[in-house]
Structures are given as C-alpha cells and as structure tokens.
Amino acid sequence: MNAIDWPQRVHRALKDAGVRLVAYVPDAGHKRLIELCHADAAMRAVALATEEEGIGLAAGAWLGGARSALLMQSSGVGNCINVLGMVRECRFPLVMLVTMRGEFGEFNPWQVPMGQATPAVLEAMGVVVQKVAAAHEVAPALAAAARLAFDSYTAVAILVSQRVIGIKSFHEQAAQ
Amino acid sequence: MKATLHRREVVRTLLAERGELLVVSGLGSTSWDCTAAGDSPLTFPLWGAMGVAAMTGLGLALAQPKRRVLVITGDGEMLMGLTSLATIGVQRPRNLALAVIDNERYGETGMQATHTAHGVDIAAVARGCGFEAAQVVWRESGLMAACRRLRAGAGPVLAQIKVVPEKLPLALPPREGALLKARFRRAVLGVAADAA
C-alpha cells in the first residue's frame, strides 16, 4: 500500500472543488475512491456501462449547473474519442481522472497499445493531459485540474501512473 | 405493422406548450424536428456525439431534479448508446423521459435500415433495464397517452414512436456548440450561468 492515502485526499479535493456528481467505470486503481464517493451522502456516484456515457453525463450535468468528474482506466479513454469532440466544440469543462495501464511494469500485453496511446489520443482531441507519478501529487493535480476545467472551460485528464497504483501481477489484481 | 405517424407532427405534439421543459435532441433529424417545432434556448440540439443524447439527458436530470427533462432522439442514435438505458435504469431519475422517434432508418446517410427495421424493440430493452414505463407507439390513438407519460409520468420513461420514413426539408438550429451551451445555461440558471 502507498503510505499516502491519495484516494481520500482526492475525494476531499473533489468536494472542495464543488463536485457533487462522480461517474465511473471501475478500475482496481479507483476502488477506494469509488467507495468513498458512494459513502458520501453529498455526492452522487454513477456507475457507467461504458466510458463514453460519462462524457454525455458530464456535459448534461454542466448544462444543468452541476460540476462532475469522471473516473476511468486508460483503456476507457479509447471509448471516449468521438464524443470528446462535443466537449471541445461546446467548450464543456471536463475533469477525467485516469488510472494508467500498459504504461509502467505492465503484466498484460493487451493493455499496452491503449495505455501507450492514451496521452496522444487525449491530446489529439484537445484534452489537456497532466501526468502524475507520485501519490502525494494526485490530489493537488486534481484540485488544479478542477480550476482549469470549471474556471477556464477546459477539458483536463489527469493520468495516474502505474507507479502510484502499484499493481504488480494478475494474481495481485485478482486478489483485490 | 406499418407506421402511420409523421415525425414533425409527433415532435410538435411532444413539445406543445412546453413551458419550462428541458430538451436534449439527438443528432440529425430529431434536432431538425425540434427546430421545426420552434427553436428554444431550452433545447440543446446535438450536431454530433452520436450515442450520448440519453446520457446528456441523465446528467441534466440529475443536476436539475425539479425540472422535467425530455430527450428526443432517433432510433439509430439510441442504438449507438443502448448501454445508457441500463445506466439510466439503475439511476432511476424520476424527471427523465426519452422519446425515440423511430423511422427504422439512418436518415442522414441514405435511409439505410437500422436494427429496429428488423424487429429490435428498444422499449422492451428499456423495460428490461428497469424503466417505469416503456412502450412502442404505432398510432395516433396511443400518442396522446405516451405524450402525457413523457411530459409528466414518473420516470424514467421511454416511448419508441414509430414514424413514416420520409425525407423532410431541413430546419436547422444554430450550429456553434459553445453558443448552444451558453444560451441553454443562461436560460436554465440565469445570471448564475456566467458566475464561477
């Protein structure tokens, strides 16, 4: 385990940023943050069936005056590509917190292509990419991303490195 | 069965005396239908992002739980976002309604058959996902009841309204996405739309 409880700090940063809607497709790296969001009576945590649903949800929430954030694994970024066009054309604020696979010490080769393409794909669609490689950097990065998104009408993705998530093998993942 | 309803009249009926109703329309013909019924800042017409109209409606419904939200989209657009029905069914927003204007065609690309032309029943999928009510509407006689459910029934509700496949004159809303977003937010939120 990381010495720093970054999911707890991210949860706090989301609340401080006025985020009351958190949508996600589960990832092992997001397990604790998802639990914290579900346990928070002041937040609505919405499970998605596929990540692109979350782009529509975030857009609709902003149209109605609510701030939201999306949690996903890097593989899910690929599912969002076309609909990110709406975010750019409409200048919707967007906060994506992406846990990386296929990036650092990966054990599953099928994760590598999308993991390696994730920053380029996001940048190609006009999303500001901010990489985080240490647990203590995640919550401050989220707070800054929320300001960039909601105050400056920008789409921002924070990519949380496998160095932070720390999954080493399939068996360890299965045991989570 | 053969469709008898005409999409422009159906959408005009759905939007009659719309008042404070918030509308999201799916890309293509349903956005033109909504514009033909009267462009409004309280309509957010999609020009792209095929497949996310229903989820945009869900986000809006969760953000504005006291306002009625109606998504008007086509069968092709809804098929591309079919998983949304499962997500909406789990969230159970009381204020969200989906009208699927079903001509069984991809209307913008050459009128190719969609899966609904081969019997795929979107309303049955919605029922299977836990919607409060979801029906296929074939006739004028069923349209008024469906309209009442869409406008005021406990959500989530869906009506799959079969319409005649027809090519109609374009009725285009503004195209610029940032403008559509800003005018919608101002209409819903007032001065708060422009505050931090």
Side-chain angles (χ1 to χ4, degrees):
Chain A
M1 275 301 285
N2 297 305
I4 292 171
D5 188 357
W6 67 266
Q8 192 274 331
R9 293 187 184 187
V10 168
H11 174 251
R12 183 75 249 167
L14 288 169
K15 289 177 76 71
D16 290 347
V19 171
R20 57 188 175 94
L21 187 60
V22 175
Y24 65 90
V25 174
D27 175 60
H30 280 312
K31 184 170 186 282
R32 176 156 160 73
L33 180 56
I34 290 167
E35 289 166 356
L36 288 166
C37 292
H38 271 292
D40 186 338
M43 269 188 185
R44 179 84 171 239
V46 176
L48 307 168
T50 178
E51 290 83 355
E52 68 178 312
E53 292 178 5
I55 306 297
L57 189 84
W62 183 253
L63 287 174
R67 296 177 172 206
S68 66
L70 301 185
L71 317 180
M72 67 183 71
Q73 186 191 86
S74 49
S75 53
V77 169
N79 293 345
C80 299
I81 297 171
N82 179 55
V83 295
L84 283 169
M86 168 175 69
V87 173
R88 184 171 188 171
E89 167 55 23
C90 299
R91 294 194 74 200
F92 278 116
L94 183 67
V95 176
M96 302 167 77
L97 187 62
V98 179
T99 43
M100 292 302 298
R101 293 291 305 272
E103 175 234 22
F104 184 83
E106 177 61 57
F107 59 87
N108 180 350
W110 293 55
Q111 285 281 359
V112 177
M114 189 64 232
Q116 287 296 311
T118 292
V121 160
L122 288 165
E123 284 170 351
M125 292 307 295
V127 178
V128 174
V129 173
Q130 299 185 332
K131 297 179 183 177
V132 173
H136 70 272
E137 295 173 357
V138 186
L142 189 286
R147 291 184 59 171
L148 190 54
F150 301 121
D151 294 352
S152 295
Y153 311 110
T154 303
V156 191
I158 299 170
L159 309 187
V160 182
S161 172
Q162 278 183 294
R163 295 166 200 256
V164 177
I165 311 303
I167 292 170
K168 299 294 195 300
S169 74
F170 179 75
H171 298 291
E172 284 171 81
Q173 180 180 269
Q176 279 215 327
Chain B
M1 257 195 289
K2 204 167 156 55
T4 59
L5 297 167
H6 292 274
R7 57 187 310 137
R8 290 278 160 90
E9 284 72 40
V10 167
V11 171
R12 203 169 288 126
T13 301
L14 297 180
L15 295 179
E17 296 171 46
R18 58 183 286 177
E20 296 295 291
L21 181 71
L22 305 178
V23 176
V24 175
S25 62
L27 85 173
S29 299
T30 46
S31 279
W32 322 153
D33 296 335
C34 288
T35 306
D39 184 38
S40 163
L42 291 179
T43 298
F44 187 72
L46 294 168
W47 281 81
M50 187 166 176
V52 299
M55 286 301 296
T56 305
L58 176 63
L60 184 54
L62 295 179
Q64 289 286 330
K66 294 186 175 137
R67 303 280 291 264
R68 188 72 178 184
V69 176
L70 175 62
V71 176
I72 301 177
T73 193
D75 45 309
E77 205 277 345
M78 191 69 250
L79 285 164
M80 195 172 281
L82 210 57
T83 59
S84 311
L85 296 178
T87 297
I88 291 167
V90 170
Q91 293 301 318
R92 306 188 70 76
R94 304 290 284 177
N95 58 330
L96 180 61
L98 309 182
V100 179
I101 308 300
D102 180 10
N103 66 352
E104 305 185 348
R105 301 287 190 280
Y106 290 103
E108 302 302 306
T109 57
M111 299 297 265
Q112 300 89 348
T114 65
H115 293 346
T116 62
H118 301 283
V120 169
D121 185 337
I122 293 172
V125 175
R127 287 196 298 277
C129 290
F131 274 54
E132 290 288 335
Q135 287 94 16
V136 181
V137 177
W138 288 92
R139 297 277 177 267
E140 187 77 36
S141 54
L143 183 62
M144 291 316 294
C147 186
R148 278 193 298 275
R149 278 193 296 273
L150 290 168
R151 291 285 295 269
V157 293
L158 180 146
Q160 181 181 356
I161 304 168
K162 294 285 183 179
V163 297
V164 174
E166 52 188 346
K167 288 297 282 183
L168 296 165
L170 295 174
L172 305 179
R175 284 200 300 281
E176 189 187 351
L179 168 71
L180 293 166
K181 174 199 71 174
R183 74 172 192 167
F184 189 98
R185 276 174 53 87
R186 284 184 174 179
V188 175
L189 304 168
V191 291
D194 303 319

